[in-house]
Amino acid sequence: MTGPAAGTLAWFEVATSDPDAAEKFYGELFNWTFRADPAAAAGGLDYRNVTAAGADVPMGGIANTGGQMPDHAVFYILVADVAATCEAAERLGGSVVSRQVEPGPGAPAFAYLRDLAGNLFGVFTPPAA
């Protein structure tokens, strides 16, 4: 089985100050299961991977904001090069909110961008295997 192709919607994230409540809500609503992300935990973060019933791999995550940012949900597009995608977004009139192009071991490179209407979305490149 191959992974998603560049340019496809490949991940979502629910960022919340109450990850236990989000886990209960989405788990009961969609029969999703949750598991702590080991790479995030190693960095001291509470990030829970989300897996749909019957699926073999996670499709998203719940991030504990610790109250440090507003609760939100965001979708992520898989890209070949996060830095190049950030440059292209700015050239096209979008903006880069934040970027992490040199993540720690096991973590993906990613960035939060805004489109022309101000909508937040993310882009990422999976960590090297």
Side-chain angles (χ1 to χ4, degrees), residues 39-58:
L45 301 174
D46 177 6
Y47 194 91
R48 305 162 192 199
N49 289 329
V50 177
T51 304
D56 295 329
V57 295

Side-chain angles (χ1 to χ4, degrees), residues 61-100:
I62 293 179
N64 185 350
T65 67
Q68 299 300 305
M69 66 177 72
D71 291 358
H72 65 277
V74 64
F75 65 89
Y76 289 85
I77 305 297
L78 187 140
V79 298
D81 183 326
V82 171
T85 301
C86 289
E87 291 173 14
E90 289 177 320
R91 186 177 67 253
L92 294 167
S95 62
V96 176
V97 176
S98 67
R99 68 182 96 197
Q100 176 58 275

